[in-house]
Amino acid sequence: MAIINQGILGGVSGKIGNVIGGTWKGIDYLRIKPSSVANPKTEGQLDQRSKFAKVLFFLQPMADFLRVGFKQYAIKMTEFNAAMSYNLYNGVVGAYPNYNIDYPNALVSRGNLKGVANGTATSSAPEEIEISWDDNSSSGNALATDKSLILVLNPDKKESIYTTSGPVRSLRTETLVLPAEYSGDVVEVYLGFVSADGTKVSNSTHLGSVTVA
């Protein structure tokens, strides 16, 4: 049974059917009690959970990086949730239960700043990744002062090495030193840019799967 306080215009305390009334921090509220789910493990639900888990596994090692990479899309949500939302629909291939991350199409940064031109990643020296790109600062809204966003993901070790303030676009190269235990591992390398004032971000580009020397 529910009680209506202070007359018909007052708050409701208790339950009427599937409507529950109460007060939180002095604010009266009404909410609908959710319907019970007879079978919480339907094929569709298992499918979605499997895909969600795969994207979560992909993004967790780069949570701090995403605060810069997805800042333009963190509208009424966190940067991490914005990255989850995008990659659930664009960064997964396969069918349940065999989902995989589509590394070339997944994004670790997203925005309308001009992106990477002719980016490459190699590992010719022990525990190093050499990254290069063309200076396309005369194209669109790209500037020579845009800073590189570089991320090296090691899926097997569930770790990432990254910088959100790398060499500017006009310098065209960077070398990242990796932990010694990465030797022989296959890593996924991403490159993007952020404007000097931090207000604009580019879509990331997947530079390839690289075996660390």
Side-chain angles (χ1 to χ4, degrees):
M1 180 180 71
I3 299 172
I4 301 177
N5 302 309
Q6 302 173 9
I8 196 168
L9 299 179
V12 175
S13 176
K15 178 182 176 185
I16 306 175
N18 66 339
V19 178
I20 299 172
T23 302
W24 179 75
K25 293 187 177 181
I27 301 171
D28 296 321
Y29 69 85
L30 293 173
R31 63 182 175 87
I32 304 296
K33 183 180 179 182
S35 301
S36 60
V37 179
N39 180 10
K41 294 184 179 180
T42 65
E43 185 176 345
Q45 288 169 321
L46 291 172
D47 183 3
Q48 188 64 15
R49 289 172 191 170
S50 177
K51 187 182 293 185
F52 186 92
K54 184 63 69 172
V55 176
L56 186 64
F57 181 88
F58 168 60
L59 295 177
Q60 277 182 328
M62 61 182 83
D64 289 340
F65 182 92
L66 296 174
R67 293 192 179 101
V68 175
F70 269 79
K71 64 189 299 182
Q72 286 188 291
Y73 286 84
I75 301 169
K76 297 184 178 180
M77 66 176 73
T78 65
E79 294 88 352
F80 191 90
N81 285 347
M84 281 289 300
S85 178
Y86 178 86
N87 285 295
L88 273 171
Y89 291 98
N90 301 281
V92 180
V93 292
Y96 175 79
N98 299 312
Y99 285 120
N100 290 294
I101 296 299
D102 184 4
Y103 292 112
N105 287 317
L107 292 183
V108 300
S109 69
R110 187 182 179 205
N112 55 15
L113 182 64
K114 185 70 175 180
V116 177
N118 299 319
T120 63
T122 59
S123 181
S124 55
E127 297 129 32
E128 289 185 356
I129 294 286
E130 300 89 31
I131 298 163
S132 63
W133 59 89
D134 287 352
D135 177 12
N136 59 344
S137 54
S138 61
S139 177
N141 60 353
L143 296 175
T145 54
D146 296 333
K147 295 176 289 186
S148 54
L149 297 172
I150 303 170
L151 182 133
V152 177
L153 174 69
N154 189 323
D156 290 340
K157 288 187 168 56
K158 304 178 186 178
E159 297 175 351
S160 68
I161 305 296
Y162 61 83
T163 177
T164 57
S165 186
V168 296
R169 195 186 294 259
S170 60
L171 288 181
R172 302 184 297 174
T173 187
E174 171 65 316
T175 298
L176 286 187
V177 178
L178 305 180
E181 59 267 25
Y182 278 30
S183 180
D185 290 352
V186 176
V187 296
E188 307 298 333
V189 185
Y190 288 90
L191 173 65
F193 291 103
V194 58
S195 60
D197 63 5
T199 61
K200 298 184 183 70
V201 179
S202 78
N203 283 1
S204 60
T205 295
H206 180 244
L207 301 186
S209 303
V210 179
T211 300
V212 181

